[in-house]
Amino acid sequence: MALYRNRTLLALAFFQVCAGLIEVESILFGAFMSSLGATPDTLGFVLGAGYAVGVLGSILGGRLVDIVGARIVFLGSIALSIVGLVVEAFSPTWIVAAVGFFMIQFSQMSLRPSALRIIAEAFPDSMGAALGFLYTAYSGVAVAGPLLAGWLAQHYGWNAVFMGKAGLFLLAFFVLAMFIPTGGKLASLTQGENLRGWMSVFRRMPLVMLYVAAFIGAFFSYASSFLSYDPRLSASPLALAVFPSIFNLSQLVSSWPSGVLGDKAGYWKIVLGGAVIMGCAWLLFPIPSETVFLYILYLVFSIGSIMSNYIEVLAVKLSPTTGQGLSVGFLDAARFMGFSLGEIFGGMLWQYAGPSVSYLLAGLGYILAYVFLLLSYRSSKES
């Protein structure tokens, strides 16, 4: 239980709570952009371009973590997120909103490698339990976070949503500045391996296969971004907010047990199972006409998605110890390149082929990601 009294973990958990209190998931962001006149293909382009910006953030953030330390990168990323939220709050057009979105995407992706390094330094033997605790802290409040965001948007406008979230991030920034340790390089950085250039991680075949699987899974994750355009779901922001609330509820229930189970039974089983579950959910998504059954399928997808989040732990475990930040940065870059291309592809596919084809291709994409995860697992055993 000492793990859960660690002030570093508690400070990170406080940030997760602040992040989840008012949550603007991709579905609500689609409704926000739609209110500013963005069409599905425009939304797809903005999401795709934003994810491309995130690729730069993940690689640069990962590299900076290895050079200047996780604390500086982590706090700097939160500060940039606050600026981006303020820009979105006062956006008169979807173009200005896109600029704010790009800032947030860059900052959020530069934050991820630093967060994982902080956790790896503080809890090297219990990363799964620590991550599960943080996911649970977030989802404990984020179950209602999208509903609160939808309610604020419907009654007070979108600027109230983004300014409220910016205020919460500012509060978390000061708490983290007090309690996140300065840290430093992992002990192995002064011994053993020497990182020889940015491309060193690609000499490890299990990592390469993991990156390919991450790219494919991200590419076919576009489906939920366009739920606001599904004719079966034409509804208010508050009604659409049920979907991200379902996701957060599943995160609350499954994240911590998945992390603890991963520490004991292995993360490969968790991540491989997640890919199959997500694929099956989207393959079935075109069938129901009742909204309640769509909610159930989205719950199934959400559980699989939570399980797949532990691919980050696999990246840490498979990476050279002298470049863990960079290795995680490349993983996030692979995913964001997939998100970028997938959102653009998904927007055009949704507009010209319709939702059913979009859902079916998304399901098949996750099955393909499973195949590459399996190749990565077998390659790691051989090496």
Side-chain angles (χ1 to χ4, degrees):
M1 294 301 294
L3 170 68
Y4 306 114
R5 294 192 298 268
N6 184 284
R7 70 176 189 173
T8 298
L9 187 63
L10 292 176
L12 292 170
F14 180 76
F15 171 64
Q16 291 288 76
V17 170
C18 290
L21 279 172
I22 301 176
E23 185 57 274
V24 183
E25 298 278 354
S26 60
I27 298 171
L28 283 180
F29 182 74
F32 167 58
M33 293 294 285
S34 178
S35 72
L36 295 175
T39 60
D41 55 342
T42 299
L43 174 63
F45 175 79
V46 170
L47 291 173
Y51 288 132
V53 172
V55 171
L56 299 177
S58 62
I59 295 176
L60 181 59
R63 186 58 172 167
L64 286 175
V65 165
D66 292 328
I67 296 173
V68 303
R71 186 177 189 273
I72 294 174
V73 177
F74 191 78
L75 293 175
S77 297
I78 295 174
L80 183 59
S81 288
I82 294 171
V83 176
L85 287 167
V86 173
V87 171
E88 288 198 322
F90 297 100
S91 300
T93 67
W94 67 261
I95 297 175
V96 178
V99 173
F101 175 69
F102 296 158
M103 297 175 70
I104 293 171
Q105 291 294 84
F106 184 93
S107 62
Q108 291 298 302
M109 291 310 294
S110 63
L111 181 146
R112 294 174 70 89
S114 60
L116 283 172
R117 169 61 72 84
I118 291 169
I119 294 169
E121 289 180 338
F123 319 106
D125 299 321
S126 52
M127 283 189 66
L131 283 171
F133 177 75
L134 293 174
Y135 289 146
T136 302
Y138 167 82
S139 56
V141 294
V143 169
L147 295 174
L148 178 57
W151 182 82
L152 286 171
Q154 193 157 305
H155 293 281
Y156 298 100
W158 287 103
N159 60 330
V161 174
F162 292 113
M163 285 304 296
K165 192 169 182 67
L168 289 169
F169 268 47
L170 184 61
L171 176 62
F173 177 88
F174 288 118
V175 172
L176 289 163
M178 289 189 292
F179 293 109
I180 295 297
T182 302
K185 298 180 178 180
L186 296 176
S188 56
L189 283 174
T190 60
Q191 314 168 17
E193 298 181 305
N194 176 34
L195 182 62
R196 298 175 180 175
W198 285 50
M199 301 302 292
S200 63
V201 295
F202 291 103
R203 300 191 186 109
R204 297 180 176 234
M205 189 53 62
L207 265 178
V208 173
M209 293 294 102
L210 197 72
Y211 293 159
V212 173
F215 173 84
I216 293 172
F219 182 90
F220 288 100
S221 68
Y222 57 77
S224 61
S225 297
F226 300 95
L227 285 172
S228 58
Y229 297 99
D230 191 319
R232 297 172 296 177
L233 297 168
S234 298
S236 67
L238 185 58
L240 286 169
V242 172
F243 285 97
S245 292
I246 288 172
F247 182 90
N248 292 328
L249 177 62
S250 69
Q251 190 173 51
L252 174 65
V253 173
S254 61
S255 290
W256 203 345
S258 296
V260 174
L261 183 61
D263 285 334
K264 295 181 178 180
Y267 295 101
W268 286 108
K269 294 178 182 178
I270 303 297
V271 176
L272 285 165
V276 172
I277 290 172
M278 289 188 290
C280 291
W282 286 122
L283 287 172
L284 295 173
F285 214 80
I287 298 174
S289 57
E290 298 283 339
T291 303
V292 64
F293 294 113
L294 297 179
Y295 288 158
I296 292 172
L297 285 175
Y298 196 77
L299 174 63
V300 174
F301 160 76
S302 299
I303 293 173
S305 180
I306 299 307
M307 295 168 65
S308 72
N309 281 342
Y310 290 94
I311 193 173
E312 295 175 331
V313 179
L314 293 178
V316 172
K317 300 293 185 183
L318 293 174
S319 66
T321 54
T322 52
Q324 287 183 341
L326 187 59
S327 296
V328 173
F330 275 127
L331 174 72
D332 288 332
R335 291 197 291 190
F336 259 46
M337 283 190 287
F339 288 142
S340 175
L341 297 175
E343 295 291 358
I344 295 172
F345 171 77
M348 294 187 296
L349 184 67
W350 196 282
Q351 184 145 329
Y352 299 110
S356 295
V357 174
S358 300
Y359 293 138
L360 290 174
L361 284 179
L364 293 174
Y366 282 116
I367 301 302
L368 181 60
Y370 168 85
V371 173
F372 279 92
L373 283 170
L374 197 59
L375 291 174
S376 176
Y377 169 73
R378 291 180 177 177
S379 179
S380 70
K381 291 298 182 181
E382 292 174 359
S383 58

